[in-house]
Amino acid sequence: MELRSLDLNLLLALDALLQHRSVSKAARQTGVGQPAMSASLARLRRHFGDELLARAGNRYRLTPLAAELRERTRMAVTGVERVFDARRGFDPASSTREFSLMVTIAPQSRRAATGAQVPLTFRGSASVTVPAGQDVVSDPAALAFAAFTPLAVSVFLPQSTQAVTKHWNANATSYYSGSGSGDLTARTAADGFTGKTLSWLLVTGLDVRSDARAVVAFGDSITDGFVGGSPLSIPADASVADKNGRYPDQLQRRLDAAGLSIAVVNAGIGSNQLLGGLGLMDGPSGLSRFQKDALDIPGATGVLVLEGINDLGLHPGVTPDQIQDGYTRLITEAHTAGKKIWLATLTPAANSIIDGTATAPDSERYRQQINAWIRNQTLADGVVDFDAAVRDPAAPSQLLPAYAGPDNLHPNLAGYTKMADAVPLGLLNTAACP
């Protein structure tokens, strides 16, 4: 059985056990035998260090921890189901649909309210049709704003659509209007925008003209700034939205305070892997997207790579040698393009459900081997030791509790700040202007 299926089965088993409080009923719901469900319960008990189901006479009752997990687990299962449902819908790489749209941009003041809108044009036209599976770039627009100023990119689609390209966990709130509400791209008031989402829709990037060099933070959900809302990671912790607390955000603040004219570009994708992929919301592999998402970024002088933990936890059979070969390929590509590249050590996650040793028994041993290679290799232009920054000295295979989110895989905001503090600014400053 592939590890991906095993992870999902554990999640489904936990949900069924907490809902029914019965091994036999949980087994029937999930379509497995009672011995298999008993084995899943035993693994879950070992992971949580809790009985979860405690016998009370002829029945079982939920322990306090299990009662706390019940609703979170149900939400997590619902989220997974939505992910798999989404796969059957819009696929931008293979879709034959085209989108026509009109776009404006403005500083965001409060919620959906904005300042004066600046209409965007596309080769002089007020609207554009986006070919299936492709990107379009607008003409330059005159809009001055300071660092960390929230911007509202307002998009109107004349035709109805059910799914669009999106960054599913943006840690930032976007607002939208209902179907049939018309073109609101010029509206500055918040009224009319009745829905909100923590995803970024349609827009994949914003190029800014400045004198700053760019450094690309390249990686997975830890670079993306994800903070899990439960021990099962999903749903995301909505309380961190709009706080700009990702490690690249905090690194940008340090660079600004030091007076270094370097801009940090976040190229993190949730669940992304260096070598492979799940084929869901995790995007192409790090190897296949490195050119477009890192080396081709305007003004980029260097790339800080933190990727590989998902390969160990979600990609059965991956070995340290394969990960190291992947890093070597990125280093070669970066140097060929005249860019600096720095490797970051993988952060600990042994006690997490996703990517931890309960579901990926070799993950911690392999992580240690990979980190040793990163620290000792001389191919890259430097090393950032995120592992040393956030690990628990008393349990080095785990995040320090003060820096850990609820899933023990993703840091919390304090952990992301600690990661940013671990980046030597002088290392990034060695990258010359392009």
Side-chain angles (χ1 to χ4, degrees):
M1 181 179 294
E2 291 189 356
L3 187 58
R4 287 177 291 176
S5 298
L6 181 57
D7 289 343
L8 184 55
N9 283 343
L10 277 178
L11 173 60
L12 296 176
L14 179 61
D15 179 55
L17 287 164
L18 297 183
Q19 295 297 321
H20 294 292
R21 309 182 193 185
S22 165
V23 171
S24 58
K25 290 182 180 179
R28 285 197 297 271
Q29 176 179 311
T30 55
V32 301
Q34 187 167 331
M37 183 57 64
S38 296
S40 294
L41 176 58
R43 292 185 64 186
L44 290 164
R45 282 171 166 168
R46 287 196 299 271
H47 173 81
F48 288 108
D50 186 271
E51 283 297 295
L52 298 176
L53 300 181
R55 186 175 291 278
N58 294 327
R59 297 186 177 184
Y60 284 97
R61 60 173 178 82
L62 299 182
T63 65
L65 175 61
E68 180 182 344
L69 289 175
R70 182 178 179 181
E71 185 59 30
R72 292 182 181 181
T73 305
R74 183 88 291 272
M75 293 174 65
V77 170
T78 301
V80 171
E81 290 171 347
R82 288 175 178 172
V83 167
F84 279 90
D85 286 344
R87 189 180 185 186
R88 295 192 295 270
F90 178 62
D91 177 4
S94 60
S95 174
T96 58
R97 293 158 53 194
E98 296 184 337
F99 293 98
S100 297
L101 46 85
M102 288 170 278
V103 187
T104 60
I105 187 170
Q108 184 178 342
S109 55
R110 184 176 180 275
R111 297 179 64 82
T114 69
Q117 300 279 2
V118 177
L120 298 184
T121 58
F122 300 84
R123 295 186 178 182
S125 174
S127 65
V128 66
T129 298
V130 184
Q134 297 185 30
D135 299 333
V136 294
V137 179
S138 76
D139 302 325
L143 182 69
F145 52 92
F148 292 104
T149 298
L151 299 179
V153 180
S154 188
V155 179
F156 171 59
L157 299 171
Q159 296 99 2
S160 63
T161 182
Q162 294 181 338
V164 296
T165 302
K166 66 180 179 180
H167 187 112
W168 75 273
N169 178 64
N171 276 329
T173 309
S174 295
Y175 302 89
Y176 57 90
S177 59
S179 177
S181 56
D183 182 4
L184 305 182
T185 55
R187 179 166 295 183
T188 57
D191 60 295
F193 297 94
T194 56
K196 64 180 181 179
T197 176
L198 294 181
S199 298
W200 278 327
L201 308 177
L202 293 170
V203 180
T204 60
L206 182 68
D207 292 339
V208 179
R209 178 173 293 174
S210 76
D211 295 327
R213 293 167 283 164
V215 165
V216 180
F218 186 84
D220 49 40
S221 55
I222 295 177
T223 297
D224 196 26
F226 180 86
V227 178
S230 77
L232 294 162
S233 295
I234 53 177
D237 182 356
S239 70
V240 305
D242 306 310
K243 292 185 177 179
N244 292 321
R246 314 164 187 87
Y247 104 71
D249 297 328
Q250 301 290 21
L251 178 57
Q252 184 68 69
R253 292 185 176 95
R254 288 188 62 214
L255 290 165
D256 293 346
L260 294 176
S261 185
I262 298 175
V264 182
V265 177
N266 192 325
I269 299 178
S271 300
N272 199 234
Q273 297 178 38
L274 177 67
L275 305 179
L278 299 175
L280 299 172
M281 72 282 193
D282 56 328
S285 70
L287 289 177
S288 62
R289 70 184 183 91
F290 188 64
Q291 181 72 42
K292 180 179 180 181
D293 288 358
L295 302 182
D296 289 346
I297 295 296
T301 60
V303 186
L304 174 54
V305 176
L306 172 63
E307 188 145 45
I309 194 66
N310 289 324
D311 294 79
L312 302 183
L314 302 176
H315 196 157
V318 167
T319 66
D321 285 344
Q322 290 173 309
I323 297 290
Q324 291 154 201
D325 288 344
Y327 291 149
T328 301
R329 177 175 158 186
L330 296 186
I331 292 168
T332 300
E333 291 182 10
H335 287 165
T336 300
K339 317 287 186 183
K340 295 274 190 176
I341 181 169
W342 310 282
L343 297 184
T345 53
L346 301 179
T347 52
N351 60 334
S352 68
I353 294 179
I354 307 299
D355 292 350
T357 54
T359 53
D362 293 325
S363 59
E364 175 57 20
R365 178 167 58 91
Y366 284 175
R367 186 186 73 90
Q368 294 287 2
Q369 292 178 29
I370 291 166
N371 281 351
W373 182 88
I374 290 173
R375 293 184 178 106
N376 293 320
Q377 56 77 37
T378 58
L379 300 173
D381 299 292
V383 173
V384 175
D385 204 339
F386 286 146
D387 171 42
V390 297
R391 69 191 179 204
D392 186 344
S397 66
Q398 304 174 15
L399 290 170
L400 186 73
Y403 300 144
D407 59 6
N408 293 317
L409 170 63
H410 301 90
N412 56 23
L413 294 187
Y416 284 131
T417 298
K418 186 68 174 179
M419 289 176 63
D421 291 343
V423 180
L425 299 188
L427 197 66
L428 306 187
N429 201 32
T430 61
C433 295

